Amino acid sequence: MLHEQNPAELIKAHFEQMWATDMAKITASNPSLQFELINLVRCEGDWLAAVVAPWAIQLLLLNGGGRLWGEIPAGQRRYIDLPGATLPFVAETDAEIGSWQSAALVETIDQVADMAAARRVARDGFRMALGLAQPDAPQLAEPKAAVTRRGFFRRLAGKRD
């Protein structure tokens, strides 16, 4: 299915329906999480989203008619070159949303403490995939000059260089 218009409502409806109807099939989930669409943008003509769900934090790729999309059978994996990383995406399909591909941002969902942590993981993964710098990341301090043997013993003796 080609998504020419913003698919945010379709994504939200799909994940809420999945949680409501397929809860028994989902083996690992985190009760402190709920569905939230964190980001959704056009990326090279297709739709790239970051989502949090009780069972996963992942990037989603939906067909927008762009260059990233490549049709593969459900369950198959393909590597996609995004602006900031090459990631493995697995194909899935649904009658309402059509085909999409997802890349997990965490290995095990039960290790995510709460929604705030899940949002950070989703935002950071999204920014990394798009190759965006993280302005709030701590800056590295300038490296200090190497301490010489003489300097070490002077400091040990309480003297300053």
Side-chain angles (χ1 to χ4, degrees):
M1 174 184 296
L2 179 65
H3 298 278
E4 294 176 348
Q5 303 298 318
N6 185 323
E9 290 305 314
L10 282 173
I11 294 169
K12 184 175 191 270
H14 169 75
F15 275 82
E16 288 173 351
Q17 166 81 17
M18 181 184 240
W19 183 242
T21 59
D22 295 339
M23 248 173 54
K25 295 179 194 172
I26 298 171
T27 57
S29 65
N30 184 331
S32 66
L33 305 181
Q34 68 268 353
F35 173 78
E36 189 171 325
L37 179 62
I38 303 296
N39 293 94
L40 175 65
V41 298
R42 280 270 195 181
C43 181
E44 300 186 32
D46 293 307
W47 295 98
L48 185 66
V51 298
V52 172
W55 62 92
I57 302 173
Q58 55 192 186
L59 296 178
L60 301 181
L61 179 68
L62 287 91
N63 185 0
R67 79 156 200 88
L68 294 177
W69 185 257
E71 197 69 45
I72 57 173
Q76 294 288 318
R77 178 181 20 221
R78 68 189 277 263
Y79 287 83
I80 299 175
D81 292 323
L82 295 168
T86 300
L87 298 172
F89 281 76
V90 176
E92 302 180 47
T93 190
D94 176 75
E96 296 296 318
I97 199 170
S99 295
W100 79 95
Q101 295 163 12
S102 63
L105 294 176
V106 294
E107 288 291 320
T108 56
I109 197 69
D110 60 343
Q111 293 179 345
V112 179
D114 54 23
M115 268 310 282
R119 286 183 189 109
R120 277 192 306 276
V121 169
R123 284 188 190 111
D124 289 350
F126 187 79
R127 292 177 65 78
M128 179 267 315
L130 292 177
L132 302 174
Q134 297 197 22
D136 53 351
Q139 299 298 315
L140 297 177
E142 289 294 319
K144 294 183 180 180
V147 177
T148 64
R149 181 181 165 118
R150 180 175 183 223
F152 172 77
F153 286 113
R154 285 182 57 80
R155 287 188 190 145
L156 190 60
K159 299 179 182 174
R160 292 275 178 208
D161 287 324

